[in-house]
Amino acid sequence: MSKEAIVSFVNAKKTFKTKGKEQVAVRDVSFDVKEGEIFGIVGKSGAGKSTLIRLINALEKVDSGKVLVDGKDITKMNYSQLKHIRKDIGIIFQHFNLFDSKTVFKNVEFPLKIQSKELGLSDGERQKTVLELLDFVGLLGYEKHYPSELSGGQKQRVGIARALATSPKILLADEATSALDPETTVEIMRLLKKVNKEFGITIILITHTISVVRLICERVAVMSEGEVVELDTYKNVFKNPKSDAAKSLVNVFKILEGDGSLHE
């Protein structure tokens, strides 16, 4: 039995005006992300990846086409309706976006306090949820620490715990490991795999390197100049890239992971 789409782009287009000129950031994009999968969107800087992911929670709105989340067309929703949808979408960021003046506990608790009326949690239930999440990401005992006292990997673990606080159906990871060293990147990818396996959360991973996609993604969309130029399983894209953009990404990966030399 095939899984249903939890996110669908239907001829989605998004343009921006810069100095009076129109720039197409997302150009006629159509594809589905299936419920429960780990889906990668990969491309060079400026390919349109981050704009595309911002369409999913309507932080940017399409100029034409549709974006469906859990079967609902969010392009026609008002603010109140969008607020309800956004509760089901967690986000982790490249630079963590933690509150420097709040402890680890307070950072993770923040979305629970913001949505306290909708979630109906008591103070005790909220505390229990935060501690369970910190235990899950391997940071139990760090509740009173501040972000400045943490490593990059620990900060991202806090970011993941915070993103999971409202029990989302979808987790958006926008360049979530680009500020981390390779060893820590692997650790964070293992944690995201655990999130997907244990909670069944759909993960959409944005990255500019195919090496990150290779670690955990099942399918991948390759973007170039606002278009999805290739859509397939990671293995097929890696073994037999068809588009110039995919070939370039795979070639760079092979150079970096091969003998590490550009000498002739």
Side-chain angles (χ1 to χ4, degrees):
M1 183 178 175
S2 61
K3 294 180 179 179
E4 293 186 5
I6 193 166
V7 174
S8 297
F9 295 97
V10 184
N11 303 120
K13 181 181 179 181
K14 177 64 183 178
T15 59
F16 295 102
K17 284 190 177 179
T18 308
K19 295 180 181 179
K21 292 184 178 180
E22 191 176 87
Q23 182 179 354
V24 181
V26 173
R27 189 190 307 270
D28 195 32
V29 167
S30 297
F31 68 86
D32 295 336
V33 177
K34 296 173 185 175
E35 185 178 1
E37 78 172 321
I38 304 178
F39 187 93
I41 301 174
V42 63
K44 295 178 182 178
S45 297
K49 308 181 301 298
S50 291
T51 300
L52 188 69
I53 206 172
R54 286 168 68 86
L55 296 177
I56 296 172
N57 52 13
L59 290 177
E60 299 287 353
K61 295 202 172 185
V62 293
D63 297 320
S64 60
K66 296 180 181 178
V67 181
L68 283 73
V69 177
D70 209 11
K72 303 175 184 71
D73 185 357
I74 66 169
T75 59
K76 297 178 180 178
M77 290 184 176
N78 59 33
Y79 176 77
S80 178
Q81 292 169 320
L82 282 173
K83 188 178 177 182
H84 183 72
I85 286 287
R86 285 170 179 156
K87 183 180 72 68
D88 289 330
I89 303 173
I91 309 174
I92 55 175
F93 302 91
Q94 177 180 358
H95 297 296
F96 322 123
N97 284 32
L98 302 180
F99 297 105
D100 291 335
S101 61
K102 294 182 183 290
T103 62
V104 165
F105 184 96
K106 294 291 184 183
N107 266 280
V108 178
E109 185 189 36
F110 183 74
L112 295 173
K113 294 192 83 169
I114 290 291
Q115 298 186 27
S116 58
K117 287 184 180 180
E118 294 91 334
L119 297 171
L121 295 176
S122 66
D123 290 348
E125 288 170 329
R126 200 163 61 234
Q127 182 176 1
K128 182 173 179 287
T129 297
V130 172
L131 293 177
E132 286 175 348
L133 286 169
L134 289 176
D135 187 25
F136 179 81
V137 301
L139 287 180
L140 197 61
Y142 285 79
E143 301 91 278
K144 295 181 180 180
H145 285 64
Y146 286 87
S148 61
E149 301 173 294
L150 304 178
S151 68
Q154 289 171 330
K155 289 176 183 176
Q156 197 56 286
R157 287 175 183 272
V158 176
I160 292 170
R162 181 183 59 186
L164 296 176
T166 56
S167 301
K169 295 179 181 179
I170 302 165
L171 184 61
L172 307 178
D174 191 0
E175 298 283 8
T177 60
S178 62
L180 305 175
D181 62 72
E183 185 177 350
T184 307
T185 292
V186 171
E187 291 173 1
I188 294 300
M189 289 298 104
R190 282 190 179 128
L191 179 56
L192 290 179
K193 185 82 172 175
K194 183 181 172 185
V195 167
N196 173 258
K197 184 178 179 180
E198 296 197 16
F199 298 133
I201 295 173
T202 304
I203 298 176
I204 301 176
L205 185 71
I206 301 290
T207 180
H208 62 275
T209 60
I210 206 159
S211 57
V212 173
V213 169
R214 175 174 172 261
L215 291 171
I216 62 171
C217 293
E218 298 149 20
R219 292 193 303 143
V220 57
V222 180
M223 289 194 74
S224 178
E225 297 181 354
E227 295 183 79
V228 171
V229 294
E230 200 156 339
L231 177 66
D232 208 332
T233 63
Y234 163 74
K235 288 182 179 178
N236 286 344
V237 170
F238 188 76
K239 288 180 179 178
N240 186 28
K242 295 179 174 62
S243 64
D244 289 342
K247 288 175 183 176
S248 176
L249 290 165
V250 171
N251 285 339
V252 168
F253 171 81
K254 287 180 177 177
I255 290 170
L256 294 174
E257 296 296 315
D259 64 8
S261 174
L262 293 175
H263 295 294
E264 293 182 358

